[in-house]
């Protein structure tokens, strides 16, 4: 049993990392909004989904005008990801303006903001389904593969107890783009003036506004960046997995939130780490659960696994692996 | 709006009585004659809402309301072919009203946002489904299954108890998790229950997995097999009455006031000596038991269940009902549930059919993707956002029970007089 688990480990690691990168970037969107507004933005998972659909739409459009054959796929990919990021970024800002800012002005209870975000997520899901179904006749959209080249990682000849691992070109693209996004975000938050303003608003909104920081604008920028990252990840998801439907956002959003909680919500580096960890854990579970339990539980329990992790973390270490314990104000 | 209308018709009681009697008579007659018309059905149902706003004695209102939904409406609708489908919607309304009364206890009274409420419904439904079909034979070596239809009545309280146990199970993490996190934990719990129910066909076949449980025995009432929606309607009505009795009683009880105190300020409530653990767990257990009861009715009514009836969408649907009606307001929640279910199951389907007819006859091209029956989430989403932004308190906002100042003063005066007459009595030590 152990031997079997060890044999497939390299493949599990590669698949887990791919998934983990996706979780990590989406988790950052949650964590940025949570850090600044203390609001779980349920709509974030659906912004991710919208990004993947916008990406698919741009891809189909480029294909229809014959762009694909004349340009290298890398450039096409960059165009797609930029368009998707801009569209979802604008969408995020719009959502904040319409659904969250009026509530903030009225000092409404947090429960209400949470409920609006659930509402927005439903609206996005059905609006995207409607448009996709109108255009293509089916709301499950399959994109043509872009980076199909298969690489075989020949580990077996070096370490004979491992099996070889196979990955596609898209894995490289996903990892490189994710790392670029994560690093530039980290620099943005920690080194630039806007980043400093964001951290200040997250710390204390009132004091920040006294320090001549335009709080509303900072919040808008946060939403723009978080949503743009989410939308770009949607495109990565589309490239990697090929098929998207309007309802992927919900479950993926919850898992990304789990990742954010795992790393300590409000902490960007924690969210990155949590995402990758959760992706690895989940792949490990889905590959090995049936071996470990002798077929009693299959990979269909991998979601249960993610939720159990969430509940356990919230019960035993609510501040997450990297977070600081919040002191409750009375 | 309706209120002002009623005011115009007459401030006097007599005017109201005449108006209401005329309304009920005309609409009943309307439904009796146009027995397949959804509009007539809805207009008759509206009378219950009008009744709520009239200035009658509460007991009279209850009797009249029961008369309308228990006797007049089924009787008037029974003439046409859509009688059973009306009653089907009616049963569904009652099922969801009871569930949203349960969720109202958790969210509205105790302020604990629960996004996995449908899990308790699922637990209740599966409890009856497993024993009410031959499914239990797969893992129970003793006993003979399915249980006879008479045992259904026993399964209503059993469903309630098992759902309450699950409510307490969910409640345990809640004691450490608060606010938004709680919403996520409950959501996760709901999904866990759904996934587990969907996959428990191996190693031991308990729930038959994604195949669902078919051929659940119809309940029996003194030897009569209950199979029509019109018969289930009365079962659901009975449970609804029990639930609303419990809910209204609880609201002003010591426990109910403790819930509201916890909702408004947990720390202050704790400081005043409210046991937090017990209070929160009680909210979860009681709320869950309501939906557990209705779960068994649902399973018996559908005669087939699988895990697709218990998704996150259903959980939010119940939440929409509570928010739309008004959190913490019992009449509001009932109205919210009725509006959502009738909108969803009657109005939207009818509009969809009508639109597809129009498309078929070539008058108006409506794309299939736009069919209102498919726009469920969109409509719920809009409702949630609009109500959260513009009518946070819901359709019928919650009102705290008014204190009768005169009565209190009178009582105080009596006490004072007693004290003056006999200063040696109790309470005179100081």
């Amino acid at each position: 049993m152990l031997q079997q688990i060890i044999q497939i480990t390299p493949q599990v690691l590669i698949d887990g990392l791919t998934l983990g990168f996706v979780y990590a970037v989406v988790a950052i969107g949650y964590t940025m909004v949570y850090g600044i507004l203390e609001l779980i933005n349920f709509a974030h998972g659906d912004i991710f989904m919208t990004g993947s659909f916008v990406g698919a739409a741009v891809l189909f459009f480029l294909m229809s005008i014959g762009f694909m054959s004349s340009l290298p796929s890398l450039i096409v990919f960059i165009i797609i990801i930029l368009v998707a990021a801009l569209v979802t970024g604008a969408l995020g800002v719009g959502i904040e303006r319409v659904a969250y800012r009026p509530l903030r002005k009225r000092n409404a209870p947090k429960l209400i903001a949470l409920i609006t975000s659930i509402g927005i997520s439903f609206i996005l899901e059905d609006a995207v389904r409607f448009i996709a179904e109108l255009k293509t006749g089916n709301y499950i959209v399959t994109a043509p593969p872009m980076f199909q080249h298969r690489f075989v990682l020949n580990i077996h000849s070096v370490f004979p107890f491992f099996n070889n691992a196979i990955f596609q070109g898209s894995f490289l693209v996903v990892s490189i783009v994710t790392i670029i996004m994560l690093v530039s975000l980290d620099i943005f938050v920690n080194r630039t003036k806007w980043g400093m303003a964001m951290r200040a608003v997250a710390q204390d909104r009132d004091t920040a506004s006294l320090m001549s920081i335009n709080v509303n604008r900072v919040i808008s920028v946060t939403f723009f960046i978080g949503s743009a990252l989410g939308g770009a990840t949607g495109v990565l998801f589309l490239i990697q997995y090929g098929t998207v439907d309007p309802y992927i956002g919900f479950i993926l959003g919850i898992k990304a939130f789990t990742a954010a909680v795992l790393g300590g919500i409000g902490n960007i580096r924690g969210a990155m780490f949590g995402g990758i960890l959760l992706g690895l854990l989940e792949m490990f579970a889905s590959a090995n659960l049936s071996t470990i339990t002798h077929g009693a539980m299959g990979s269909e329990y991998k979601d249960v696994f993610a939720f159990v992790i969430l509940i356990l973390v919230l019960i035993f270490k609510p501040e997450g692996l990297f977070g600081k314990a919040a002191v409750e104000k009375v | 709006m309706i209120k002002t209308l009623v005011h115009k018709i007459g401030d006097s009681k007599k005017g109201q009585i005449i108006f209401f009697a005329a309304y009920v008579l005309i609409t009943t007659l309307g439904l009796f004659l146009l027995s397949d018309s959804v509009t007539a059905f809805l207009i008759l149902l509206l009378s219950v809402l009008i009744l709520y706003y009239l200035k009658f004695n509460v007991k009279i209102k209850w009797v009249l309301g029961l008369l309308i939904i228990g006797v007049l409406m089924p009787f008037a609708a029974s003439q046409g072919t859509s009688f059973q489908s009306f009653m089907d919607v009616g049963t569904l309304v009652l099922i969801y009203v009871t569930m949203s009364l349960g969720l109202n206890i958790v969210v509205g009274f105790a302020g604990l946002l629960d996004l996995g409420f449908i899990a308790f419904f699922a637990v209740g439904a599966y409890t009856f489904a497993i024993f009410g079909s031959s499914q239990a034979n797969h893992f129970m070596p003793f006993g003979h299954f399915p249980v006879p239809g008479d045992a259904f009545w026993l399964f209503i309280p059993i469903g309630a108890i098992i759902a309450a146990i699950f409510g307490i199970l969910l409640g345990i993490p809640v004691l450490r998790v608060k606010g938004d996190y709680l919403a996520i934990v409950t959501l996760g719990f709901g999904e866990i229950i759904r996934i587990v129910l969907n996959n428990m066909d191996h190693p031991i076949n308990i729930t038959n997995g994604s195949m669902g449980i078919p051929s659940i025995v119809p309940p029996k009432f003194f030897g009569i097999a209950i199979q029509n929606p019109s018969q289930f309607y009365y079962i659901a009505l009975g449970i609804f009455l029990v639930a609303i009795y419990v809910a209204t009683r609880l609201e002003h009880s010591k426990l109910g006031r403790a819930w509201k105190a916890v909702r408004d300020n947990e720390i202050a409530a704790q400081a005043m000596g409210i046991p937090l653990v017990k209070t929160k767990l009680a909210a979860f257990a009681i709320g869950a038991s309501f939906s557990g009861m209705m779960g068994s009715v649902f399973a018996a009514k559908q005669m087939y269940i699988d895990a697709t009836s218990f998704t996150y969408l259903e959980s939010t649907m119940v939440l929409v009902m509570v928010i739309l009606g008004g959190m913490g307001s019992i009449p509001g929640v009932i109205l919210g549930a009725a509006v959502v279910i009738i909108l969803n199951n009657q109005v939207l389907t009818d509009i969809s059919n009508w639109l597809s007819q129009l498309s078929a006859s070539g008058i108006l091209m409506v794309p299939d993707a736009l069919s209102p029956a498919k726009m469920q989430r969109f409509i719920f989403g809009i409702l949630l956002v609009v109500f959260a932004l513009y009518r946070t308190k819901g359709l019928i906002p919650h009102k705290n029970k008014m204190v009768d100042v005169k009565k209190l003063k009178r009582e105080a005066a009596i006490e004072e007089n007693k004290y003056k007459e006999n200063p040696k009595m109790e309470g005179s030590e100081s």
Side-chain angles (χ1 to χ4, degrees), chain A residues 34-286:
Chain A
Y34 194 87
I36 242 172
L37 291 183
E38 296 215 341
L39 161 73
I40 298 175
N41 183 11
F42 263 96
H44 192 69
D46 295 292
I47 288 176
F48 159 87
M49 176 275 296
T50 313
S52 67
F53 269 84
V54 171
V58 177
L59 183 62
F60 286 134
F61 174 72
L62 291 181
M63 267 166 58
S64 71
I65 58 170
F67 228 56
M68 277 289 274
S69 44
S70 56
L71 276 178
S73 48
L74 199 62
I75 294 182
V76 174
F77 168 72
I78 290 172
I79 296 174
I80 293 172
I81 206 168
L82 285 181
V83 172
L86 283 178
V87 170
T88 50
L91 186 69
V93 174
I95 289 172
E96 194 269 334
R97 192 65 61 86
V98 174
Y100 304 144
R101 191 173 292 181
L103 289 175
R104 211 161 61 235
K105 267 189 194 144
R106 276 189 284 142
N107 258 334
K110 269 199 280 178
L111 189 71
I112 303 294
L114 199 67
I115 286 162
T116 11
S117 74
I118 296 174
I120 296 278
S121 106
F122 272 17
I123 293 176
L124 278 180
E125 277 173 21
D126 247 5
V128 170
R129 179 199 57 81
F130 168 58
I131 296 168
E133 203 172 339
L134 198 63
K135 291 283 178 205
T136 62
N138 186 3
Y139 62 78
I140 299 173
V141 172
T142 307
M146 286 180 73
F147 305 97
Q148 252 187 324
H149 189 77
R150 291 166 80 83
F151 297 91
V152 176
L153 213 58
N154 204 346
I155 308 178
H156 190 67
S157 55
V158 187
F159 302 106
F161 40 90
F162 285 140
N163 279 357
N164 280 343
I166 303 166
F167 62 89
Q168 286 191 342
S170 56
F171 166 70
L172 284 182
V173 176
V174 170
S175 340
I176 292 168
V177 174
T178 318
I179 290 168
I180 293 174
M181 288 199 294
L182 295 182
V183 170
S184 46
L185 180 75
D186 201 64
I187 292 174
F188 177 82
V189 171
N190 287 320
R191 301 278 162 83
T192 62
K193 238 178 186 173
W194 274 106
M196 200 195 280
M198 272 165 59
R199 279 180 290 143
V201 173
Q203 284 252 318
D204 189 334
R205 216 182 297 162
D206 295 331
T207 316
S209 73
L210 293 178
M211 302 293 156
S212 80
I213 290 173
N214 187 340
V215 173
N216 277 334
R217 191 175 290 169
V218 171
I219 290 174
S220 286
V221 169
T222 313
F223 266 86
F224 183 85
I225 294 173
S227 309
L229 288 179
T233 323
V235 176
L236 296 181
F237 187 88
L238 179 79
I239 300 287
Q240 173 71 22
Y241 298 100
T243 310
V244 287
D245 77 71
Y247 307 117
I248 53 168
F250 162 67
I251 199 87
L252 199 135
I254 295 305
K255 286 193 193 149
F257 180 77
T258 306
V261 171
L262 195 63
I265 196 152
N267 178 333
I268 288 181
R269 287 181 194 177
M272 295 176 195
F273 178 80
I276 292 168
L277 184 66
L278 188 71
L280 288 173
L281 280 174
E282 193 182 317
M283 268 301 154
F284 180 80
S286 84

Side-chain angles (χ1 to χ4, degrees), chain B residues 135-174:
Chain B
Q135 185 61 33
N137 290 326
H138 289 284
F139 62 96
M140 294 271 268
F142 47 89
H144 180 68
F145 299 104
V147 292
D150 308 296
F152 168 73
W153 309 102
L154 203 62
F155 271 92
I156 294 175
I158 291 178
I161 291 167
I162 292 183
I165 292 171
F166 271 82
I168 291 172
L169 273 181
L170 168 63
I172 293 167
V174 165

Side-chain angles (χ1 to χ4, degrees), chain B residues 2 40 64 68 116 125 139 145-146 152 172 201 257 292 325 374 420:
Chain B
I2 297 164
L64 284 178
I68 292 171
F139 62 96
F145 299 104
F152 168 73
I172 293 167
D201 50 350
R257 281 178 278 132
K374 286 185 174 176
K420 270 181 196 162

